[in-house]
Amino acid sequence: MIHLNGKTAIVTGGANGIGRAIAELFRDAGASVVVADIEEASAMEGIRCLCADVSISADAVRVVEEALAVSGRIDVLCNNAAYLGQVHGALEADEAEFERCFAVSLMGTQHFTKAVLPHMIRQQSGSIINISSVQGMVGARTSAAYTSLKHALAGYTRSVAYDYGLHGVRCNAICPGAIQTRISPKPGDELHARQIGKTFLGRTGDPREVAYAALFLASDASSYITGAIIPVDGGWTAM
């Protein structure tokens, strides 16, 4: 049975959706979990929730320091926070849209990764999980900034895996497909139907189905997996 007993984990963007499902599953698997989110999280029993903007490096350092106070170590970092906002094609997207996607999705991942790496290197162990998207593997309409930065996360993941593998630090990425969350298209909408049409399973996924993939990558059961880009997409990217 996969467990995270004795491990300390940080989940960014964990107040809602996929991030919340990951945080709760990590807790259920035995980890001490700290959630960092710009939004206030509704109560999650047994999980410490901190208000933090991942695009600010000082916030990342503060969250890591508070997580270290739990056990003196950081075993798992899940970089889930991302910026979606209004999405546009390249002709309509302005600099602010690109800059915010860059600041949250990529630099937020960098800030937290940079903050945990010295501790993982000292421990000679650690698992970093970056939540990308199927749009980090294939194209999508009217989402130039979001798709570009999700593609960038794949390169970032492989770079971290390459540089720190000899220190026992693993880094992998998960690419969720159409997952039903509060910001997803509603059943019956044209976009919802189009998403279902891209899957082999004929349905959207549940956040917990992504969380189980994250749990595997966080655990010792995946000890020989690093630098991997793993779709959890119902077959979307296999077409």
Side-chain angles (χ1 to χ4, degrees), residues 133-204:
S133 166
V134 291
Q135 288 176 237
M137 301 178 72
V138 297
R141 71 181 184 182
T142 59
S143 59
Y146 182 82
T147 297
S148 297
L149 271 300
K150 289 298 187 178
H151 270 73
L153 272 178
Y156 182 86
T157 296
R158 290 172 175 136
S159 180
V160 172
Y162 194 114
D163 288 339
Y164 302 103
L166 291 180
H167 296 283
V169 179
R170 298 182 297 109
C171 187
N172 296 287
I174 295 173
C175 294
I179 306 299
Q180 202 63 39
T181 68
R182 60 179 182 145
I183 62 172
S184 300
K186 304 303 181 200
D189 289 355
E190 181 273 334
L191 182 54
H192 182 263
R194 191 158 53 85
Q195 288 180 336
I196 289 176
K198 288 181 176 290
T199 75
F200 294 169
L201 300 179
R203 65 175 178 84
T204 54

Side-chain angles (χ1 to χ4, degrees), residues 19-30:
R20 187 183 182 100
I22 291 170
E24 291 176 338
L25 188 59
F26 281 5
R27 174 204 61 198
D28 294 346

Side-chain angles (χ1 to χ4, degrees), residues 1-8 26-32 73 75 215 219-220:
M1 181 177 177
I2 293 176
H3 67 80
L4 300 179
N5 295 339
K7 295 185 184 293
T8 300
F26 281 5
R27 174 204 61 198
D28 294 346
S32 298
R73 58 187 294 122
D75 300 285
L215 173 62
S219 75
D220 295 340

Side-chain angles (χ1 to χ4, degrees), residues 1 36 44 51 91 111-112 118 131 133 183 194 209 215 225:
M1 181 177 177
M44 287 188 279
C51 184
L91 183 62
H111 293 326
F112 272 82
I131 305 300
S133 166
I183 62 172
R194 191 158 53 85
E209 293 178 293
L215 173 62
I225 299 175

